[in-house]
Amino acid sequence: MKKIQIGQSDIVSSQIALGCMRMADLGVNKASEVIETAIDSGINFFDHADIYGSGQSEIIFSQALKNSDISRDDLIIQSKCGIRDGFYDFSKDHIIHSVEGILERLDTDYLDILALHRPDALIEPTEVAEAFYQLKKSGKVNYFGVSNFSTSHVDLLQQALFDKLVVNQLQFGLKHAGMVAHNMNVNMENETGINRDGAVLDHMRMKNITIQAWSPFQYGYFDGVFIDHPDFIKLNNSLEKLAQKYHVTKNGIAIAWISRHPANIQTIIGTMNTGRIKEVTDASDVVLTRQEWYELYQAAGFNLL
């Protein structure tokens, strides 16, 4: 599998990561199988959040690791914090307390990356900076990032930090590609031309912050999966044609479309199905041609002018 450097860090990671949100639904033995399959398939990056399964996903993950021969040193572990019951909280005390809980549940001494989960309207950048500095100095977190942040949110926070942010998690895929589409509809009076994110894709590239694509198979906001969906026949036909050409599956081609973008986007897949992990990673070496990339883009419903 292709390896990428994560932001301005020394982390070299698999371009595909495993999101562990659904791991709380597994038993320890099944979770061990999932982790081992991911590792055997070339994945070394695992994404968590303190709210996944109300913390149970992290507990199952740590128990599953103990149940395997996998070393913590061979893994890149990221977790996120900041979402509470009914509100967001980026206060210094909450960030530090959250990390202590994450480390306890994961049974590890450190996180490779800590990301702030969703923008807190009441954020005090200097307070976040103090929390990050304390966590870095104590060896509990090596690098920091954000999730679902706009360009202005990133810049507001970055100006107060001692360390460079290295990741920004954003929803992205064939049916959620607005941050690509609006760039090709500049100054057009149409729906696609509306810039809703402050040109976040270009901005992250300029700042050398790795975009992590979440929910790559979803259309809308958790409305469903577009693979084999009867409402997206044209897209699925295009995916199937390329799947046959490259001897992989439609799921694999959908991820290859993301990986083909020159931003070196890291895709987070959230499946706990070992067969699905294999079929996606089996396509990790597929490099779509420029024509194929645009064919899928248009089949997904985006027009070229």
Side-chain angles (χ1 to χ4, degrees):
M1 181 184 297
K2 180 182 177 182
K3 296 292 194 297
I4 60 172
Q5 182 179 356
I6 301 298
Q8 298 183 57
S9 74
D10 63 358
I11 296 174
V12 178
S13 166
S14 54
Q15 190 164 21
I16 297 173
L18 186 70
C20 299
M21 182 174 70
R22 297 180 177 89
M23 195 162 282
D25 300 328
L26 306 182
V28 173
N29 289 338
K30 179 59 178 178
S32 295
E33 182 185 353
V34 168
I35 296 170
E36 289 168 356
T37 298
I39 293 290
D40 291 343
S41 300
I43 293 174
N44 67 347
F45 194 108
F46 296 84
D47 175 67
H48 292 270
D50 57 359
I51 65 166
Y52 291 167
S54 299
Q56 191 66 21
S57 291
E58 292 172 331
I59 293 172
I60 294 295
F61 183 86
S62 68
Q63 292 174 343
L65 275 186
K66 293 176 184 176
N67 199 38
S68 72
D69 296 327
I70 300 168
S71 170
R72 166 66 178 94
D73 295 337
D74 295 330
L75 307 181
I76 299 165
I77 299 179
Q78 170 178 281
S79 195
K80 303 181 290 294
C81 71
I83 298 179
R84 303 186 70 172
D85 186 15
F87 65 103
Y88 302 149
D89 189 349
F90 288 172
S91 64
K92 177 182 177 181
D93 288 345
H94 181 68
I95 292 172
I96 292 174
H97 178 72
S98 297
V99 170
E100 290 171 349
I102 290 168
L103 295 179
E104 181 178 356
R105 289 189 296 273
L106 287 172
D107 195 19
T108 184
D109 295 329
Y110 68 97
L111 290 175
D112 294 282
I113 302 172
L114 172 72
L116 301 178
H117 209 158
R118 281 194 174 273
D120 175 10
L122 304 181
I123 185 174
E124 292 282 1
T126 54
E127 191 172 354
V128 175
E130 290 172 4
F132 283 6
Y133 177 78
Q134 184 171 323
L135 291 168
K136 180 74 173 284
K137 186 177 180 181
S138 65
K140 294 179 179 178
V141 180
N142 291 339
Y143 295 100
F144 301 93
V146 294
S147 181
N148 308 296
F149 270 42
S150 68
T151 58
S152 56
H153 274 103
V154 168
D155 289 349
L156 176 66
L157 178 57
Q158 185 63 79
Q159 55 85 30
L161 299 180
F162 300 97
D163 294 279
K164 297 292 185 183
L165 295 168
V166 298
V167 297
N168 187 4
Q169 280 193 17
L170 298 162
Q171 186 176 4
F172 184 65
L174 273 162
K175 290 300 296 179
H176 196 102
M179 63 183 182
V180 166
H182 79 74
N183 274 344
M184 289 188 281
N185 286 264
V186 174
N187 200 35
M188 296 294 105
E189 296 181 1
N190 57 31
E191 179 72 13
T192 307
I194 299 173
N195 183 349
R196 293 181 169 84
D197 56 33
V200 68
L201 175 61
D202 293 341
H203 198 73
M204 295 305 98
R205 292 182 73 182
M206 288 188 291
K207 297 294 184 179
N208 197 10
I209 296 174
T210 296
I211 290 175
Q212 296 176 325
W214 58 267
S215 289
F217 302 118
Q218 291 280 329
Y219 65 94
Y221 179 72
F222 289 111
D223 291 340
V225 175
F226 60 77
I227 301 291
D228 293 328
H229 195 291
D231 288 348
F232 309 115
I233 294 174
K234 184 177 181 180
L235 174 56
N236 278 281
N237 286 343
S238 294
L239 287 166
E240 180 61 31
K241 183 182 74 173
L242 292 172
Q244 291 182 13
K245 174 183 175 180
Y246 289 104
H247 306 291
V248 295
T249 66
K250 287 186 284 188
N251 289 288
I253 293 297
I255 300 301
W257 184 84
I258 298 173
S259 299
R260 175 63 177 82
H261 195 279
N264 270 337
I265 296 169
Q266 182 181 47
T267 301
I268 299 174
I269 59 171
T271 182
M272 296 289 103
N273 183 311
T274 54
R276 186 66 52 79
I277 292 172
K278 290 177 182 177
E279 70 180 54
V280 168
T281 54
D282 282 348
S284 62
D285 292 329
V286 172
V287 180
L288 299 176
T289 67
R290 187 178 295 264
Q291 182 177 349
E292 290 166 345
W293 190 92
Y294 276 104
E295 176 188 334
L296 288 171
Y297 174 79
Q298 293 177 86
F302 298 99
N303 298 321
L304 297 181
L305 300 177

